[in-house]
């Protein structure tokens, strides 16, 4: 899919855009994407207009910090993972966000079950729909694997976030 072929759903409030990133536990993949995308949004000068949040479909880790391996991978790449506290996706997020991006197909199915209206509006998608290298892929769960998995996740997240920021800039443009 080319960039032009995948415009974002329209902003509910013109000039503002809220995007939520969702995985299973909100301690590995979606927080990695949250930290990277928020930084790229800031660097693009869109910090006032674009709000980034993240959550998990499960609630086991709510209130806790990022997985230490995910945090170490981010720190080594120059990001600050320290402020993350895990949250659980709730149905009212559907009304509060213009776009909800799932990390894998199971997350997508779980979100569709909780927020069918969001899916019907086209506001529920896979994060990697925006990946310029392999659009439509999943962000694999690194939780039970080795450090390589976290580096692979960060590489996918960085290039996907670059493409996403370009689309967000267009979505909030006057
Ligand atoms: P995440 O990874 O969904 O990328 O945050 C996981 C974190 C925790 C668990 C599974 C995956 N868990 O089973 O606790």
């Amino acid at each position: 899919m080319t960039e032009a072929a995948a415009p974002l759903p329209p902003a509910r409030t013109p000039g503002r855009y809220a995007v939520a990133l969702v995985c299973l536990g909100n301690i590995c993949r979606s927080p990695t994407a949250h930290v990277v995308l928020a930084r790229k949004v800031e660097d693009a000068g869109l910090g006032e207009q674009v709000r980034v949040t993240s959550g998990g479909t499960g609630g086991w880790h709510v209130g806790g910090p990022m997985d230490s391996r995910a945090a170490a991978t981010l720190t080594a790449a120059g990001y600050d993972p320290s402020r993350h506290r895990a949250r659980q996706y709730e149905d009212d997020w559907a009304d509060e966000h213009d776009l909800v991006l799932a990390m894998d197909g199971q997350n997508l199915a779980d979100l569709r079950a909780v927020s069918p209206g969001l899916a019907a509006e086209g506001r529920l998608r896979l994060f990697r729909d925006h990946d310029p290298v392999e659009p439509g892929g999943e962000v694999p769960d690194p939780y039970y694997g080795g450090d390589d998995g976290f580096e692979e996740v960060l590489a996918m997240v960085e290039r996907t976030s670059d493409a996403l920021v370009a689309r967000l800039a267009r979505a909030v443009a006057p």
Side-chain angles (χ1 to χ4, degrees):
M1 200 182 290
T2 64
E3 205 178 300
L8 299 184
R12 290 190 160 107
T13 304
R16 303 258 158 197
Y17 212 91
V19 52
L21 308 166
V22 180
C23 62
L24 178 59
N26 194 223
I27 57 170
C28 298
R29 292 166 293 172
S30 63
T32 295
H34 184 168
V35 167
V36 170
L37 183 61
R39 164 86 166 270
K40 290 182 182 292
V41 161
E42 282 291 332
D43 289 352
L46 299 172
E48 292 288 310
Q49 294 151 284
V50 176
R51 187 164 59 87
V52 182
T53 54
S54 69
T57 56
W60 313 281
H61 301 283
V62 166
M66 208 181 294
D67 178 281
S68 59
R69 299 160 297 171
T73 304
L74 281 167
T75 301
Y79 297 95
D80 175 11
S82 66
R83 283 175 299 170
H84 180 72
R85 294 295 175 268
R87 301 169 66 206
Q88 184 171 18
Y89 179 90
E90 304 283 353
D91 184 34
D92 56 7
W93 290 30
D95 296 327
E96 295 165 4
H97 294 85
D98 299 290
L99 180 63
V100 176
L101 294 174
M103 294 293 134
D104 67 26
Q106 185 62 54
N107 307 147
L108 189 70
D110 291 343
L111 287 165
R112 194 176 284 128
V114 177
S115 299
L118 190 73
E121 280 185 48
R123 295 186 185 276
L124 175 59
R125 308 256 180 97
L126 279 175
F127 177 72
R128 285 186 69 205
D129 281 355
H130 306 280
D131 184 348
V133 174
E134 190 200 332
E138 299 188 311
V139 181
D141 189 347
Y143 188 67
Y144 295 105
D147 290 347
D148 287 5
F150 289 87
E151 281 155 27
E152 186 192 10
V153 165
L154 180 59
M156 288 173 178
V157 159
E158 287 196 298
R159 67 181 188 241
T160 300
S161 295
D162 283 332
L164 194 48
V165 166
R167 291 172 187 175
L168 287 164
R170 285 200 287 277
V172 297

